[in-house]
Amino acid sequence: MNSYGSEVPGKFGEWNRREIADYLAPFRRAADAVEASQLDYTILRPAWLTDRDEVDYETTERNEPFKGTEVSRKSVADLIVKLIDSPKRALHGNLGVNKPNTDGDKPYFM
């Protein structure tokens, strides 16, 4: 799927678009510019962030359906540290980040 607003499937995707689609265009343009550049990059697209004290996440590629509805900030930080330690791990990657088994109509806290 080509835009962040349309990659999230199902009822969660519908809810997500209602909540934030109007805000995503600048991020989409920025990601497109980075991907078209000669830069080394990794783009992260986390699900809705929580403050849970846990590290539990999975990733999806840009053109795969996004999974889950949430992910902890601590999980995203863990992924960032791993990418810094191994920069080629997701070089030129565009990764969705979510907590496994959090599929639903919207994040639990909404």
Side-chain angles (χ1 to χ4, degrees):
M1 309 215 175
N2 292 332
S3 72
Y4 294 144
S6 64
E7 77 173 303
V8 181
K11 290 195 182 274
F12 174 56
E14 294 169 18
W15 178 86
N16 200 52
R17 281 186 291 282
R18 281 193 309 272
E19 294 296 314
I20 64 172
D22 292 343
Y23 304 103
L24 296 179
F27 296 102
R28 174 76 265 159
R29 287 190 304 272
D32 288 344
V34 168
E35 289 178 317
S37 75
Q38 298 297 317
L39 297 172
D40 288 342
Y41 67 87
T42 303
I43 296 171
L44 299 181
R45 297 172 286 104
W48 286 71
L49 297 169
T50 72
D51 292 326
R52 290 187 175 186
D53 185 17
E54 66 184 7
V55 175
D56 186 12
Y57 63 91
E58 63 187 353
T59 61
T60 53
E61 297 291 331
R62 178 179 179 189
N63 293 316
E64 295 177 319
F66 197 91
K67 295 181 180 179
T69 60
E70 64 187 69
V71 67
S72 71
R73 287 173 173 83
K74 192 171 183 177
S75 292
V76 175
D78 182 80
L79 177 56
I80 291 169
V81 169
K82 287 178 178 171
L83 293 171
I84 290 169
D85 286 344
S86 300
K88 294 184 185 210
R89 179 178 177 171
L91 187 61
H92 299 129
N94 187 322
L95 305 175
V97 187
N98 72 282
K99 179 179 177 179
N101 303 312
T102 59
D103 298 329
D105 294 349
K106 58 185 177 180
Y108 81 93
F109 50 86
M110 297 305 277

